[in-house]
């Protein structure tokens, strides 16, 4: 990107979409701790603190807020943000937006709906980069892998909750695909790190955690964080698939599909070397506790309904 897009002074005003989400709330805290003035967008009224203003808005209506910010952060749905930015007249020299490695993971999914999601995410990235380039804005995309740490994710927290209630967790023998779980604070820190780094302008980065480990090992560590510790049961993949279909017929486990099962066995690891090189990305290894899973005060060992 042209040198004219660089930020000539230390940025101090930020607009944050998705500020109440698991990444956004950590990012807002980072910004405030470093003296930024933050405008965060929410669809519901929220209480502000010093240096922060919550604006009731979304990505579909006309923009009614300030006309210029030093940096705009997007921590919510990338497709909605990319469409909004392409049509808005808001001025900003810098954009940092979160996407997802699911764009690559799901592009060849056996399920058409997942392929459509991957296609939509890829289109959103293209839309954002094109619109930013046309307006002389330096844009960077961050693509997290499997997020944990806030007790609000839809993978590890769900696994922990089900295992706690049942007292056990069942995995197929083949569930040993590689994973790089990434802590939500490391993602919020990465968003801050890239802001003033010209090396990141016009680029996208995969952001995995500091450790690559088999799916089953990852789940074992989740179970180790719970008290009492649920048992881990391993079964043949064919039996697991049969039980999954039975659960679907009863209206249960709708969030787990044949595509989800297939991914348990796939090596979904990404190269984080570019992020380490360009902005010093240094994520922590995968060490999880009950608080990170949103279960610190939850009773354990309940029977499954």
């Amino acid at each position: 990107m042209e040198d004219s897009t660089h930020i000539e002074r230390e940025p101090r005003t930020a607009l944050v979409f998705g500020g109440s989400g698991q990444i956004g709330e950590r990012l807002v805290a980072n910004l405030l701790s470093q003296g930024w003035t933050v405008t965060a967008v929410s669809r519901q009224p929220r209480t502000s603190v010093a240096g922060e203003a919550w604006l009731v808005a979304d990505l579909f209506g006309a923009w009614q807020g300030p006309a210029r910010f030093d940096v705009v952060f997007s921590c919510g749905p990338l497709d909605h943000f990319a469409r909004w930015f392409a049509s808005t007249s808001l001025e900003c020299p810098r954009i940092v937006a979160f996407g997802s490695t699911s764009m690559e993971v799901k592009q060849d999914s056996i399920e058409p709906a997942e392929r459509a999601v991957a296609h939509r995410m890829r289109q959103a990235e293209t839309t954002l980069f094109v619109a930013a380039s046309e307006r002389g804005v330096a844009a960077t995309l961050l693509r997290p892998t499997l997020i944990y740490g806030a007790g609000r994710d839809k993978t590890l927290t769900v696994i922990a909750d089900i295992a706690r209630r049942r007292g056990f967790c069942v995995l197929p023998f083949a569930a040993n695909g590689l994973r790089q779980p990434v802590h939500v604070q490391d993602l919020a820190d990465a968003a801050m790190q890239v802001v003033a780094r010209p090396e990141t302008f016009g680029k996208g980065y995969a952001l995995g955690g500091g450790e690559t480990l088999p799916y089953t090992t990852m789940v074992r560590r989740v179970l180790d964080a719970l008290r009492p510790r649920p048992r881990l049961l391993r079964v043949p993949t064919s039996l697991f698939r049969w039980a999954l279909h039975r659960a679907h017929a009863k209206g249960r486990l709708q969030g787990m599909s044949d595509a989800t099962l297939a991914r348990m066995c796939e090596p979904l690891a990404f190269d984080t070397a570019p992020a380490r090189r360009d902005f010093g990305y240094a994520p922590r290894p995968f060490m999880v506790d009950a608080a990170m899973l949103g279960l610190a005060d939850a009773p354990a060992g309940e029977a499954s309904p």
Side-chain angles (χ1 to χ4, degrees), residues 72-284:
V72 175
F73 295 93
S74 172
C75 305
L78 181 62
D79 53 346
H80 297 325
F81 175 74
R83 176 196 51 76
W84 175 86
F85 177 72
S87 62
T88 186
S89 59
L90 181 142
E91 296 181 11
C92 64
R94 190 76 172 98
I95 286 178
V96 179
F98 282 92
S100 173
T101 52
S102 292
M103 180 185 67
E104 298 181 35
V105 169
K106 296 181 179 180
Q107 65 180 349
D108 297 318
S109 172
I110 60 176
E111 296 189 4
E114 290 192 343
R115 294 198 301 273
V117 168
H119 177 68
R120 188 168 69 246
M121 294 176 69
R122 190 173 296 279
Q123 282 189 316
E125 287 202 0
T126 299
T127 297
L128 182 59
F129 276 131
V130 169
S133 178
E134 290 175 346
R135 294 163 61 175
V137 176
T140 300
L141 273 167
L142 304 177
R143 308 182 187 103
T145 56
L146 194 156
I147 302 173
Y148 75 98
R152 299 165 64 181
D153 63 276
K154 296 181 179 179
T155 303
L156 298 185
T157 293
V158 173
I159 290 172
D161 181 57
I162 294 174
R164 175 188 60 81
R165 290 186 286 109
R166 293 180 175 177
F168 64 88
C169 176
V170 182
L171 288 180
F173 285 134
N176 280 305
L178 298 179
R179 293 296 186 273
Q180 297 165 308
V182 57
H183 195 281
V184 66
Q185 186 62 53
D186 292 332
L187 298 175
D189 292 345
M192 299 290 291
Q193 291 171 315
V194 302
V195 167
R197 299 295 292 268
E199 302 94 326
T200 70
F201 295 179
K203 295 181 181 179
Y205 297 88
L207 299 185
E211 197 171 358
T212 301
L213 63 166
Y215 192 96
T216 300
T217 301
M218 178 182 72
V219 172
R220 288 185 189 277
R221 294 194 191 176
V222 169
L223 300 183
D224 287 342
L226 307 180
R227 294 292 181 270
R229 184 190 187 279
R231 293 174 295 157
L232 177 61
L233 306 179
R234 307 293 301 280
V235 300
T237 302
S238 58
L239 177 59
F240 187 94
R241 182 178 289 108
W242 174 83
L244 179 61
H245 291 172
R246 291 267 296 182
H248 286 172
K250 296 179 180 180
R252 299 167 59 188
L253 296 179
Q254 297 300 311
M256 177 174 287
S257 64
D258 285 336
T260 307
L261 172 58
R263 282 195 292 274
M264 288 183 182
C265 313
E266 296 174 357
L268 305 182
F270 296 84
D271 184 11
T272 61
R276 296 174 185 271
R277 177 196 65 226
D278 288 355
F279 58 92
Y281 182 58
R284 72 197 70 189

